[in-house]
Amino acid sequence: MQKMRITLLVATLGCFLIACGGSRFQMTPTHMEEVAAGKPISNTLIIVVVDDQEIRSIFENHFKKWLAAKGVEAIISIEVLPVQKGTQLEKSAIAEVIDRYENDSVLITHLVGFDEAEVFSRGEPEVYRTYYGFYRYSWGYSRWPVIISENVQFTLETCLYDTKSESLLWAGESQLTNPETTGKAIGKVVEAVMKELEKNELLPKTS
Protein backbone atom coordinates (compact mmCIF):
# COMPACT_ATOMS: atom_id res chain seq x y z
CA MET A 1 0.00 0.00 0.00
CA GLN A 2 1.35 3.37 -0.95
CA LYS A 3 2.64 5.32 2.00
CA MET A 4 0.04 7.77 3.19
CA ARG A 5 1.01 11.40 3.03
CA ILE A 6 -0.71 13.88 5.27
CA THR A 7 -0.05 17.40 4.05
CA LEU A 8 -1.35 20.43 5.89
CA LEU A 9 -2.13 23.11 3.31
CA VAL A 10 -1.95 26.84 3.90
CA ALA A 11 -5.46 27.86 4.90
CA THR A 12 -5.49 30.97 2.75
CA LEU A 13 -4.92 28.84 -0.33
CA GLY A 14 -7.34 26.05 0.42
CA CYS A 15 -10.35 27.10 2.43
CA PHE A 16 -13.87 28.30 1.90
CA LEU A 17 -15.13 31.13 4.09
CA ILE A 18 -18.86 31.70 4.42
CA ALA A 19 -20.05 34.52 6.65
CA CYS A 20 -23.63 35.02 7.70
CA GLY A 21 -24.29 37.39 10.56
CA GLY A 22 -22.26 36.12 13.50
CA SER A 23 -21.72 32.67 12.02
CA ARG A 24 -18.64 31.56 10.10
CA PHE A 25 -17.62 28.44 8.23
CA GLN A 26 -14.20 27.35 7.03
CA MET A 27 -13.22 24.28 4.99
CA THR A 28 -9.54 23.33 4.80
CA PRO A 29 -8.33 20.34 2.73
CA THR A 30 -5.61 18.49 4.66
CA HIS A 31 -4.72 15.61 2.32
CA MET A 32 -5.05 14.66 -1.34
CA GLU A 33 -3.50 11.52 -2.78
CA GLU A 34 -2.06 12.77 -6.07
CA VAL A 35 -2.39 9.44 -7.89
CA ALA A 36 -6.14 9.42 -7.14
CA ALA A 37 -6.83 12.79 -8.76
CA GLY A 38 -8.90 12.40 -11.89
CA LYS A 39 -10.10 8.94 -10.89
CA PRO A 40 -13.71 9.53 -9.78
CA ILE A 41 -15.50 7.29 -7.33
CA SER A 42 -18.71 5.62 -8.48
CA ASN A 43 -20.17 3.78 -5.49
CA THR A 44 -19.46 4.86 -1.93
CA LEU A 45 -20.45 3.90 1.60
CA ILE A 46 -21.20 6.90 3.82
CA ILE A 47 -20.51 6.66 7.55
CA VAL A 48 -21.16 9.60 9.87
CA VAL A 49 -19.81 8.80 13.32
CA VAL A 50 -22.26 10.35 15.77
CA ASP A 51 -24.23 8.79 18.60
CA ASP A 52 -27.40 10.77 17.83
CA GLN A 53 -29.14 8.57 15.26
CA GLU A 54 -31.39 11.35 13.99
CA ILE A 55 -28.38 13.57 13.28
CA ARG A 56 -26.62 10.59 11.70
CA SER A 57 -29.57 10.00 9.37
CA ILE A 58 -29.87 13.65 8.33
CA PHE A 59 -26.13 13.97 7.73
CA GLU A 60 -25.79 10.75 5.73
CA ASN A 61 -28.88 11.42 3.62
CA HIS A 62 -27.59 14.89 2.82
CA PHE A 63 -24.34 13.38 1.55
CA LYS A 64 -26.31 10.79 -0.42
CA LYS A 65 -28.43 13.42 -2.20
CA TRP A 66 -25.40 15.46 -3.18
CA LEU A 67 -23.53 12.41 -4.45
CA ALA A 68 -26.57 11.21 -6.41
CA ALA A 69 -26.73 14.61 -8.12
CA LYS A 70 -23.09 14.10 -9.11
CA GLY A 71 -23.77 10.64 -10.53
CA VAL A 72 -22.35 8.64 -7.63
CA GLU A 73 -24.29 5.75 -6.13
CA ALA A 74 -24.22 6.00 -2.35
CA ILE A 75 -25.15 3.64 0.47
CA ILE A 76 -25.76 5.18 3.90
CA SER A 77 -24.65 3.29 6.97
CA ILE A 78 -27.76 4.02 9.02
CA GLU A 79 -29.79 1.86 6.61
CA VAL A 80 -27.34 -1.04 6.28
CA LEU A 81 -25.32 -0.84 9.52
CA PRO A 82 -27.79 -0.05 12.30
CA VAL A 83 -26.27 0.24 15.77
CA GLN A 84 -27.56 0.91 19.24
CA LYS A 85 -26.41 4.06 20.98
CA GLY A 86 -22.93 3.60 22.37
CA THR A 87 -22.18 0.60 20.14
CA GLN A 88 -19.21 0.63 17.79
CA LEU A 89 -19.35 -1.00 14.35
CA GLU A 90 -17.12 -4.02 13.75
CA LYS A 91 -14.79 -4.05 10.76
CA SER A 92 -16.29 -7.35 9.56
CA ALA A 93 -19.76 -5.75 9.39
CA ILE A 94 -18.46 -2.81 7.36
CA ALA A 95 -16.48 -5.11 5.05
CA GLU A 96 -19.57 -7.27 4.47
CA VAL A 97 -21.56 -4.22 3.36
CA ILE A 98 -18.74 -3.10 1.07
CA ASP A 99 -18.67 -6.54 -0.55
CA ARG A 100 -22.46 -6.73 -0.86
CA TYR A 101 -22.86 -3.32 -2.48
CA GLU A 102 -19.51 -3.37 -4.31
CA ASN A 103 -18.50 -0.01 -2.86
CA ASP A 104 -15.28 1.38 -4.29
CA SER A 105 -14.90 3.94 -1.51
CA VAL A 106 -15.87 4.85 2.05
CA LEU A 107 -16.61 8.40 3.19
CA ILE A 108 -16.32 8.94 6.95
CA THR A 109 -17.18 12.13 8.86
CA HIS A 110 -16.82 12.74 12.57
CA LEU A 111 -16.81 15.57 15.09
CA VAL A 112 -13.29 16.41 16.23
CA GLY A 113 -13.92 18.95 18.94
CA PHE A 114 -16.46 21.32 20.45
CA ASP A 115 -15.55 24.20 22.72
CA GLU A 116 -15.65 27.95 23.01
CA ALA A 117 -11.92 27.99 22.33
CA GLU A 118 -11.27 24.60 20.76
CA VAL A 119 -7.71 23.90 19.67
CA PHE A 120 -7.71 21.30 16.92
CA SER A 121 -5.10 18.58 17.39
CA ARG A 122 -4.82 15.96 14.69
CA GLY A 123 -4.39 12.33 15.73
CA GLU A 124 -1.31 10.27 14.98
CA PRO A 125 -0.80 9.54 11.23
CA GLU A 126 -1.24 5.81 11.87
CA VAL A 127 -4.95 6.24 12.57
CA TYR A 128 -5.48 7.45 8.98
CA ARG A 129 -3.83 4.48 7.24
CA THR A 130 -7.03 2.44 6.85
CA TYR A 131 -10.71 3.33 6.87
CA TYR A 132 -11.41 1.16 9.93
CA GLY A 133 -8.45 2.60 11.82
CA PHE A 134 -9.89 6.06 11.18
CA TYR A 135 -13.40 4.89 12.13
CA ARG A 136 -12.19 3.53 15.48
CA TYR A 137 -10.32 6.77 16.15
CA SER A 138 -13.44 8.74 15.22
CA TRP A 139 -15.58 6.79 17.67
CA GLY A 140 -13.99 8.69 20.53
CA TYR A 141 -15.64 11.85 19.22
CA SER A 142 -19.17 10.64 18.54
CA ARG A 143 -21.12 13.09 20.71
CA TRP A 144 -22.91 15.79 18.72
CA PRO A 145 -23.11 19.18 20.49
CA VAL A 146 -26.33 21.01 21.26
CA ILE A 147 -26.18 24.50 19.78
CA ILE A 148 -27.57 26.67 22.57
CA SER A 149 -25.14 29.56 22.97
CA GLU A 150 -23.05 32.07 21.07
CA ASN A 151 -19.28 32.17 20.63
CA VAL A 152 -19.00 28.43 20.12
CA GLN A 153 -16.81 26.64 17.65
CA PHE A 154 -16.68 23.04 16.56
CA THR A 155 -14.61 21.11 14.07
CA LEU A 156 -15.45 18.12 11.88
CA GLU A 157 -13.15 15.96 9.81
CA THR A 158 -14.09 14.05 6.65
CA CYS A 159 -11.96 11.35 5.00
CA LEU A 160 -12.47 9.43 1.75
CA TYR A 161 -10.90 5.97 1.47
CA ASP A 162 -10.40 3.48 -1.35
CA THR A 163 -11.91 0.14 -0.32
CA LYS A 164 -9.48 -2.16 -2.17
CA SER A 165 -6.30 -0.72 -0.70
CA GLU A 166 -8.05 0.80 2.34
CA SER A 167 -5.82 3.84 1.75
CA LEU A 168 -6.72 7.48 2.27
CA LEU A 169 -7.63 9.38 -0.91
CA TRP A 170 -8.70 12.75 0.48
CA ALA A 171 -9.22 14.46 3.84
CA GLY A 172 -10.60 17.81 4.89
CA GLU A 173 -11.36 19.74 8.06
CA SER A 174 -14.52 21.82 8.53
CA GLN A 175 -14.65 24.46 11.24
CA LEU A 176 -17.91 26.15 12.21
CA THR A 177 -18.24 29.16 14.47
CA ASN A 178 -21.65 30.15 15.82
CA PRO A 179 -23.70 27.96 13.45
CA GLU A 180 -27.34 29.01 13.46
CA THR A 181 -28.75 25.48 13.48
CA THR A 182 -27.54 21.90 13.19
CA GLY A 183 -29.27 21.61 9.80
CA LYS A 184 -27.44 24.62 8.35
CA ALA A 185 -24.16 23.36 9.79
CA ILE A 186 -24.61 19.98 8.11
CA GLY A 187 -25.54 21.64 4.82
CA LYS A 188 -22.38 23.76 4.79
CA VAL A 189 -20.11 20.83 5.61
CA VAL A 190 -21.57 18.56 2.92
CA GLU A 191 -21.53 21.26 0.25
CA ALA A 192 -17.91 22.16 0.98
CA VAL A 193 -16.80 18.51 0.93
CA MET A 194 -18.52 17.98 -2.42
CA LYS A 195 -16.81 21.05 -3.89
CA GLU A 196 -13.40 19.76 -2.80
CA LEU A 197 -14.02 16.27 -4.19
CA GLU A 198 -15.20 17.80 -7.46
CA LYS A 199 -12.19 20.12 -7.64
CA ASN A 200 -9.87 17.13 -7.31
CA GLU A 201 -11.86 15.20 -9.96
CA LEU A 202 -12.91 12.55 -7.47
CA LEU A 203 -16.51 12.91 -8.67
CA PRO A 204 -17.75 12.09 -12.19
CA LYS A 205 -17.89 15.01 -14.58
CA THR A 206 -21.45 16.12 -15.25
CA SER A 207 -22.64 17.77 -18.44
Side-chain angles (χ1 to χ4, degrees), residues 14 16 36 41 44 49 51 58 67 69 73 80 83 101 114 141-142 177 188 195 203 207:
F16 297 101
I41 61 174
T44 194
V49 187
D51 57 6
I58 293 170
L67 286 165
E73 185 176 353
V80 295
V83 292
Y101 292 97
F114 173 62
Y141 303 88
S142 61
T177 304
K188 288 181 178 181
K195 286 181 177 179
L203 300 179
S207 55

Side-chain angles (χ1 to χ4, degrees), residues 108-127:
I108 302 175
T109 292
H110 79 106
L111 182 70
V112 176
F114 173 62
D115 200 278
E116 292 190 356
E118 187 70 46
V119 177
F120 179 66
S121 178
R122 184 172 302 284
E124 295 298 321
E126 287 74 14
V127 305

Side-chain angles (χ1 to χ4, degrees), residues 74-191:
I75 305 299
I76 54 177
S77 73
I78 196 161
E79 292 183 350
V80 295
L81 290 164
V83 292
Q84 294 182 345
K85 186 174 182 178
T87 303
Q88 187 177 135
L89 293 170
E90 297 293 333
K91 182 178 181 179
S92 58
I94 299 174
E96 191 276 328
V97 167
I98 289 171
D99 288 341
R100 189 196 323 162
Y101 292 97
E102 300 181 341
N103 300 121
D104 60 11
S105 53
V106 179
L107 184 73
I108 302 175
T109 292
H110 79 106
L111 182 70
V112 176
F114 173 62
D115 200 278
E116 292 190 356
E118 187 70 46
V119 177
F120 179 66
S121 178
R122 184 172 302 284
E124 295 298 321
E126 287 74 14
V127 305
Y128 296 87
R129 292 191 184 279
T130 66
Y131 68 79
Y132 192 68
F134 179 65
Y135 170 80
R136 291 191 65 184
Y137 161 72
S138 302
W139 185 249
Y141 303 88
S142 61
R143 183 182 66 86
W144 187 264
V146 178
I147 302 172
I148 57 174
S149 63
E150 296 181 352
N151 300 319
V152 295
Q153 174 179 296
F154 62 101
T155 304
L156 295 98
E157 186 173 28
T158 303
C159 289
L160 179 70
Y161 285 86
D162 175 77
T163 54
K164 289 185 179 179
S165 63
E166 298 192 18
S167 59
L168 180 65
L169 300 176
W170 175 88
E173 172 191 324
S174 310
Q175 190 174 87
L176 299 99
T177 304
N178 298 335
E180 296 175 3
T181 64
T182 291
K184 288 185 177 181
I186 289 173
K188 288 181 178 181
V189 171
V190 173
E191 181 179 4

Side-chain angles (χ1 to χ4, degrees), residues 16-45:
F16 297 101
L17 290 176
I18 303 173
C20 179
S23 66
R24 188 179 67 202
F25 173 77
Q26 176 175 303
M27 175 74 198
T28 307
T30 57
H31 174 86
M32 176 62 210
E33 194 66 26
E34 293 179 4
V35 297
K39 298 178 180 178
I41 61 174
S42 62
N43 186 346
T44 194
L45 171 63

